[in-house]
Amino acid sequence: MQLLPLVIALLVLTSIGYYLGRGRALTMAGGSSRNLHSLPGYYGFYVALWCGIPAFLVLAAWLAFEPTLVRALVMNSLPPSAQALPEGELRLLMNEVRQFAGGRSYGREPSEIVIAAAEYYTSLKTTGFAALIVFSLSLAVAGLAWGRKRIHQQLRARVSVERAVKVFLIISSTIAVFTTIGIVMSLLFESIRFFQAVPPMEFLFGLNWSPQTAIRADQVGSSGAFGAVPLFAGTLLISLIAMTVAVPVGLFSAIYMAEYAPSRVRAVVKPLLEVLAGIPTVVYGFFAALTVAPFLRDSGSVLGLSVASESALAAGLVMGIMIIPFISSLSDDVITSVPHSLRQGSYGLGATKSETIRQVVIPAALPGIVGGVLLAASRAIGETMIVVMAAGLAANLTANPFEAVTTVTVQIVTLLVGDQEFDSPKTLAAFALGLVLFCVTLVLNVVALHVVRKYREKYD
Amino acid sequence: MNSFANTPHSKPLETDRRMVKVSARDVCVRYGDKLALKHVDLDMECNQVTALIGPSGCGKSTFLRCINRMNDLIEGASVSGSLMLDGQDIYDRELDPVLLRARVGMVFQKPNPFPKSIYENVAYGPRIHGMANTRDELDEIVMTSLEKAGLLAEVKDRLEESGTGLSGGQQQRLCIARAIAVSPEVILMDEPCSALDPIATAKVEELIDELRQNFTIVIVTHSMQQAARVSQKTAFFHLGELIEVGETEEMFTTPRHSLTQGYITGRFG
Ligand SMILES: Nc1ncnc2c1ncn2[C@@H]1O[C@H](COP(=O)(O)OP(=O)(O)OP(=O)(O)O)[C@@H](O)[C@H]1O
Ligand SMILES: [Mg+2]
């Protein structure tokens, strides 16, 4: 499709509109912008908006509805025998038509029906697109002329342009909000379907997780148990290990960075720490699986401990490393934003540096630090890649960090990867898990943001 | 409290009102390459209030910070010359600035109570210096400090509330109480009333006059009236130099230097 040239043509027209509008406003004002209500540029934007917006709206509408429309028309043109086919086969047929029209073979000789339909399809497409070109371009030109005609000295172009900008911004944020709502809705509806098959109580409090349901009725040994407690426990265990690593290391390095490090060291170390945050989680994942886990297993066997080769400890440790920069940079921010006058007051009383930090700076920064830790915790709970690669799949209900455990995120991945039907409880369970995960992290984030905001109010 | 405090000279003699507590000789301060304070000679006497006046940026705060070595905390700042507290070199290598600051307290321009309870604010200093062995002793110190700072009556019933919830004037008196609580010998005040309204200012000035009985006080102020009201001795700084120093009364009635005269009559600065 030749969409790109069309878009470029429209953009060119729009910018021509800008210059025409601006020039006209200036001519009308006799060359001096002081005779105009708004700055000349606003008249330019005014015309450009008139020129561009209707044309692009038409383009967007065409993009949205053209495929459905064409499909419906083609379907109507099919002979009644084909129209009477069952839903699935009809879909296959339409696919074949599209493929054939696109010049690709579908692996078998196309039938008469397909060839005829494909021809019709192609002609519809071409005429439709030609109509689009003509219509949108003429709309752009008409808009340009109309906007240009409306320009006069008293036209409040600035007000109109500002209003257009505002509407544009509102639309953008609405899109974001509706996407979120859409995601939550789909999560919710699929979960409800899951809970029709498995009672919520059994899901939330059951101690046994083995989601292998039978694919065929005659299959044996796969009853399917959806007690999610082992997953929650595994998530909790790994997150706890991660936080045990990340909170002290992150906090102490933040304190060093904010209070002790000379500015030269700080300029080097801070970006280096933040590099940790830029490492893709897959890389952490195979670091955990290939380096940390074998190391733990080997050193465990030297000490006479049995450490599974996929252990909660390995995943938790590496996840902790991943979260360090999170905690350290958030804490660093709040520590440095503790007013200098408080430190001075403390030094002035004869407190040493560490006394000042312990008794004045950290307590003053504590709400912010707690907020940062909570944000990091929600990050840990939702983290997937590391645990998929290093924590294992066995849904053990254990508090022993040397054993393999599994987490909510890992199970979501394994439930959805595979070739089960999409409406079996096994797949739907993923949505229910996702919903739980979403609720937990949402609560953590809300609490964290609230705590952080409350702290902010205190000093600014 | 420490060996430094127990030197033979450390007890101020009540009889000798003219005894010098802090003496500065040829003090220069540099921030990087910039000379901010040039060859200052100044004596501050026991049980007197010494006022430092001068136009903005002339080095008053810089000089004040030399006395408790708060300049140590500023990157690039260096002090030369000699500063003596009771005849002992403040910049002696052996001297621990932390102990010095327990002897030379400081009150800042903007009230800066810690975000802790009123009680904890005052108890902070005594705690870190281990001045009280029991809770009762600590209570005693806190109460007398609040009393001396003229704040006790107002906060008696709300000692557990946050110090940041007090009014600006009360906060500043809380900071003074906090400084008194470690029983310093010298109290430095850097424009302690600049954030306060006239009534709160009057209270603090009254307080300064009372504190003079027990402490040596050095105060920076931009208000000529305040300097005249609270101080016995006034030093006028200009562009990092000490221009003139003398009895406050003399200074305000018959300034010797034309710069001083210009400043106190409000012709510049
Ligand atoms: N931390 C610093 N780093 C660099 N230069 C400084 C620093 N503090 C002060 N100075 C410089 O030293 C000079 C004296 O500053 P100081 O703060 O002592 O003035 P001041 O008399 O207290 O002024 P004000 O009345 O405005 O408080 C000024 O020129 C200032 O720019
Ligand atoms: Mg100052």
Side-chain angles (χ1 to χ4, degrees), chain B:
Chain B
M1 187 177 13
N2 58 74
S3 62
F4 180 50
N6 294 334
T7 48
H9 303 287
S10 72
K11 257 257 139 351
L13 301 172
E14 298 298 328
T15 47
D16 183 7
R17 283 179 45 83
R18 307 269 73 183
M19 194 189 130
V20 173
K21 184 76 183 176
V22 182
S23 94
R25 289 289 173 271
D26 198 27
V27 170
C28 298
V29 179
R30 255 171 258 270
Y31 292 111
D33 295 332
K34 185 174 177 293
L35 194 55
L37 209 58
K38 302 163 191 161
H39 310 287
V40 172
D41 296 320
L42 182 62
D43 286 338
M44 284 141 279
E45 284 140 28
C46 278
N47 304 101
Q48 280 212 343
V49 177
T50 306
L52 310 182
I53 61 171
S56 200
C58 66
K60 306 179 296 292
S61 303
T62 302
F63 180 71
L64 209 59
R65 284 198 299 263
C66 291
I67 303 177
N68 65 348
R69 288 183 64 169
M70 288 289 266
N71 279 333
D72 291 12
L73 304 171
I74 297 175
E75 241 175 276
S78 68
V79 181
S80 66
S82 98
L83 270 148
M84 300 291 205
L85 175 64
D86 285 334
Q88 202 166 5
D89 189 359
I90 289 176
Y91 281 85
D92 191 342
R93 275 169 185 282
E94 303 288 296
L95 176 73
D96 184 352
V98 165
L99 296 179
L100 170 73
R101 290 185 201 129
R103 293 180 63 192
V104 183
M106 189 159 192
V107 176
F108 298 84
Q109 179 167 357
K110 214 175 130 237
N112 57 350
F114 303 131
K116 298 170 183 280
S117 72
I118 295 173
Y119 182 94
E120 285 302 321
N121 259 284
V122 183
Y124 181 78
R127 269 195 222 275
I128 55 178
H129 295 296
M131 288 165 62
N133 295 322
T134 63
R135 179 78 191 192
D136 285 346
E137 281 178 41
L138 193 61
D139 284 350
E140 172 72 28
I141 295 177
V142 170
M143 292 307 164
T144 46
S145 308
L146 283 171
E147 172 80 68
K148 279 193 211 153
L151 192 62
L152 188 60
E154 287 157 69
V155 301
K156 217 170 32 243
D157 311 320
R158 41 196 282 212
L159 288 176
E160 293 312 312
E161 283 172 38
S162 172
T164 49
L166 295 173
S167 78
Q170 291 172 327
Q171 288 188 10
Q172 194 61 302
R173 278 180 284 148
L174 178 62
C175 292
I176 294 176
R178 189 173 74 182
I180 299 173
V182 288
S183 8
E185 296 153 38
V186 182
I187 300 179
L188 311 174
M189 299 183 170
D190 195 348
E191 301 178 41
C193 300
S194 63
L196 306 185
D197 72 274
I199 295 172
T201 302
K203 277 195 181 154
V204 172
E205 284 180 6
E206 218 173 281
L207 172 61
I208 292 172
D209 206 49
E210 277 167 34
L211 293 176
R212 183 159 72 86
Q213 314 303 326
N214 302 310
F215 307 98
T216 304
I217 294 175
V218 187
I219 178 173
V220 171
T221 175
H222 277 285
S223 153
M224 296 307 107
Q225 291 86 338
Q226 185 170 66
R229 280 194 298 264
V230 302
S231 73
Q232 284 74 51
K233 187 175 187 175
T234 300
F236 173 66
F237 286 75
H238 183 69
L239 293 179
E241 278 177 85
L242 178 61
I243 303 294
E244 183 172 345
V245 55
E247 299 288 321
T248 300
E249 243 166 78
E250 252 174 65
M251 186 99 156
F252 280 95
T253 47
T254 55
R256 283 176 309 238
H257 202 286
S258 61
L259 277 173
T260 323
Q261 195 178 7
Y263 184 71
I264 58 183
T265 54
R267 270 196 276 122
F268 73 93

Side-chain angles (χ1 to χ4, degrees), chain A residues 374 378 436-450:
Chain A
L374 288 181
S378 82
V436 173
L437 203 58
F438 171 75
C439 292
V440 171
T441 46
L442 183 72
V443 167
L444 275 178
N445 283 344
V446 168
V447 171
L449 288 179
H450 178 77

